[in-house]
Amino acid sequence: MPSKSIKSTPSLRSSTKVHPQSSVKSDTQALVLNGNEPAVQQEPGTTPGTRPTSSAKQDAYTEALKRSLMESQIERDFLSGAALSRYNTGVEDHNLFSANTSTLSERMLTITTGFSFATTATAEGREIEDIEAEDFQEFRIETATDKMKVNLTDDLVVSLTPRDDGKPGINASWQNITEIRTDIFESRIAEKCAWFDLSGNSLKFDCYAGESNVLGTVKSRKLTPGQVPDMWSSFQSLEDLTFGQSCSEESTCKRGNLLRNIPTSIFTLKTLKILSFSSNNLQEIPAEVANLVNLERLSLDDNELLEFQPALLELPKLKLLDLDNNSLEHVDLTTLPRTLRCLRLKGNNISHISLLPCKNSLYQLDLSCNNLKNVDSIAFKCLVKLKYFDLSSNVIEKVPGTIGKLENLRKLYLDDNMLETLNPSICLLQKLNVLNLSENSLSELPPEIGNLSCLRELHVENNELENLPGELDRITRLLTLCLSGNKLVAIPPVIARLSYLRDLLLFNNKIRKLDMTLLAPCQNLVVLGLAMNRIKVIPAEIAQLESVRIIQLDGNRLTTIPDGISEVKTLKYLSLCNNRIEYIPDSLSTLSNLVGLLMDGNSLTEVPTSIGQLKNLRVLSVRQNYIETIPESISLLVNIELMDICDNRLTRLPTTISEFNEQVEFKTSNNQLTLPPQQVADKGIISIKAFLEAHGDAAEVESVQSEFETTAI
């Protein structure tokens, strides 16, 4: 692997920094901050900062999220052919089935099994669960309070509304606010307000800490546009104040404002527990922040901070400190609040970290996307409570042996570094569930890796492995094994002894044979990924895979599809793009559960009539072949959502195509269509149906085609 250069300086860095493999970790980053329970996900449609009030609500939300995952672009990422279209350019994209393999796998498993690896959002986008009774104490609102209203701006009148925990507050997020009137600071609402959300607006505060701000004393109640009044001391019951919040790690949407500094009166709010300035333009944090003695969660991510403020570590009740995506170069962690559970420093320019104190309660530490080269300075032996540790996307060459002291660690990310060997001390982590070593220069794994008896996911994509140690079979409960982008010439024999394996990804290796004697024992296998190898034959014994739902053999040297594949009754997705296959066998029509069939870039000359028997097929893609006809039976695909027949030799479409639902995405470009004319077909299914209804007669079609040609000339 070529040497990696030190990451860019702050002046050259993008203001938005996203972890290149964050999707791999989306379900892992919300760690226990108060015991053993995961963080609570923000419920859609609720005010930011609210929490579900019952397990039934949480279950309903989880189910809704699963449905949205299944119904959104997840399937299209795999099935639309968009990702696989990179093959069509003749350019090898190693990241297609390597860097994002676990994401692809997770998404497929979500669709096919109903189980989601990511039923909760990322740690960056959600609240941390607080199980203290006071957070759930009923907050009674006086009748008079319900009727109070006040002008927040000239055009926006607000009143107190209760959130799920009963506490009254104001939701003024995403209102395009550029100014705030002083009325609200002088009203009874200020006395009663427990939470205030101003995220997603265009508010500014440019006065530097320590300067006197006279905005609150002006006679006019209308302020200079964009300036936030420095009058927050009147909000004596305020517990949750939000000026910015990231929507999600994957999204580019940032719910911030334009504040360069923090109004100093905010530091007088002794009741404040949650404070968020995510996605603003903050350049410094004043030392007065230490006055917030009850603060538990402080979000300062996605700002322009250049220096770390030591006073942040003097907050006696702080549980979460988020400093992701700033421009910090050095962080002094010689003192930490004993209450601090989660510290996020991803996406800075940190090259050195001072020693951590031995008495700390950190459960989650994220140092990814920095410039760390040597981690010896980190006192691993003091992080005995750590459960989540992310050192990915640095320039680390060696991991010290003291890492074996992290006896409670569950998830360790060392991907995208410069490791050439793996320190065997890592194999002392008896509670480790997830180990990510992808994007390094490892030529072998130590035999001691078999000691990781609790490991469920092992990611070693894009290294230089030629085989796996036999001791890996001692990890009897391993579920996910990602080996894409290595130098494997055959399926490692140890695979046959991993009977619980559910997800096997071997993309982009040099494997020549699909050895079923090694795969057949894996009776729990759901995803089999062998794209971009050198396999010539699919053995009939593939029928022995009784649980597999996704098979990917794109970019190999296949010429036929064996009848044996029709015996895999659980199969839902079959992707055979960019091979040398000449026909689709009729036996494939017996796969009653098949949802997606991708065969782009082969040597097909026709689509068989039997295709109409695939009643559950939702995606059919046969672009870049030599197909001349489409059978009338295509209309029997009653559940079809996407059909791509671009780049073939079609001259006419079957008239039964008019029976398709108008919601079907029908792609026909780069053919030689006359019925309907290519210009009509390129506009989609609605245009095609209208044409066929109006010009069903062949003679009339020919006449209309001549008109089109004349108009074009």
Side-chain angles (χ1 to χ4, degrees), residues 484-497:
S484 301
N486 281 283
K487 297 181 178 180
L488 303 173
V489 296
I491 297 174
V494 70
I495 299 295
R497 303 193 293 278

Side-chain angles (χ1 to χ4, degrees), residues 57-103:
K57 275 191 175 184
Q58 184 62 28
D59 292 342
Y61 172 69
T62 301
E63 289 304 313
L65 180 56
K66 287 182 181 179
R67 287 195 299 273
S68 71
L69 286 172
M70 287 187 281
E71 295 170 1
S72 67
Q73 69 178 38
I74 290 174
E75 287 185 347
R76 295 189 185 278
D77 284 347
F78 170 65
L79 298 173
S80 67
L84 295 172
S85 66
R86 302 185 208 186
Y87 282 128
N88 300 335
T89 65
V91 178
E92 278 195 18
D93 187 345
H94 297 297
N95 290 325
L96 178 59
F97 293 115
S98 55
N100 294 323
T101 48
S102 59
T103 301

Side-chain angles (χ1 to χ4, degrees), residues 268-294:
T268 67
L269 302 177
K270 304 295 185 182
T271 57
L272 206 58
K273 294 182 179 181
I274 300 171
L275 180 59
S276 175
F277 285 98
S278 300
S279 305
N280 277 272
N281 299 324
L282 297 182
Q283 297 177 343
E284 64 177 348
I285 305 299
E288 289 87 346
V289 70
N291 296 333
L292 301 175
V293 293
N294 287 302

Side-chain angles (χ1 to χ4, degrees), residues 43-257:
E43 198 170 344
T46 63
T47 305
T50 60
R51 303 178 178 84
T53 57
S54 67
S55 59
K57 275 191 175 184
Q58 184 62 28
D59 292 342
Y61 172 69
T62 301
E63 289 304 313
L65 180 56
K66 287 182 181 179
R67 287 195 299 273
S68 71
L69 286 172
M70 287 187 281
E71 295 170 1
S72 67
Q73 69 178 38
I74 290 174
E75 287 185 347
R76 295 189 185 278
D77 284 347
F78 170 65
L79 298 173
S80 67
L84 295 172
S85 66
R86 302 185 208 186
Y87 282 128
N88 300 335
T89 65
V91 178
E92 278 195 18
D93 187 345
H94 297 297
N95 290 325
L96 178 59
F97 293 115
S98 55
N100 294 323
T101 48
S102 59
T103 301
L104 183 66
S105 166
E106 290 167 13
R107 289 176 169 183
M108 292 175 186
L109 285 173
T110 299
I111 302 165
T112 58
T113 67
F115 170 80
S116 174
F117 278 92
T119 55
T120 55
T122 61
E124 282 75 2
R126 67 180 167 206
E127 297 290 347
I128 296 177
E129 183 179 15
D130 188 348
I131 61 173
E132 295 179 7
E134 62 190 43
D135 268 8
F136 298 96
Q137 180 181 358
E138 184 69 22
F139 194 106
R140 298 189 176 279
I141 310 172
E142 299 176 6
T143 304
T145 303
D146 292 336
K147 299 179 181 179
M148 288 191 298
K149 296 182 179 180
V150 68
N151 277 83
L152 183 64
T153 69
D154 287 348
D155 302 319
L156 179 63
V157 177
V158 296
S159 61
L160 294 179
T161 56
R163 61 185 183 189
D164 284 356
D165 60 2
K167 296 183 179 182
I170 300 169
N171 183 1
S173 62
W174 293 101
Q175 297 295 323
N176 296 318
I177 298 173
T178 59
E179 63 178 8
I180 295 179
R181 293 167 59 109
T182 60
D183 304 52
I184 193 167
F185 297 94
E186 300 168 352
S187 68
R188 286 190 61 199
I189 283 182
E191 300 174 10
K192 303 288 185 179
C193 186
W195 58 270
F196 200 163
D197 187 352
L198 284 161
S199 58
N201 290 295
S202 300
L203 295 168
K204 297 179 181 179
F205 187 78
D206 296 331
C207 296
Y208 286 91
E211 291 184 4
S212 175
N213 185 358
V214 297
L215 291 177
T217 62
V218 294
K219 293 181 180 180
S220 172
R221 295 182 183 276
K222 186 174 181 180
L223 301 176
T224 303
Q227 290 292 326
V228 176
D230 198 355
M231 301 173 62
W232 291 92
S233 56
S234 58
F235 281 78
Q236 288 302 306
S237 299
L238 196 63
E239 298 180 4
D240 185 342
L241 177 58
T242 302
F243 277 97
Q245 180 177 333
S246 299
C247 294
S248 73
E249 185 167 350
E250 292 79 14
S251 174
T252 57
C253 171
K254 299 293 183 182
R255 304 180 59 180
N257 279 278

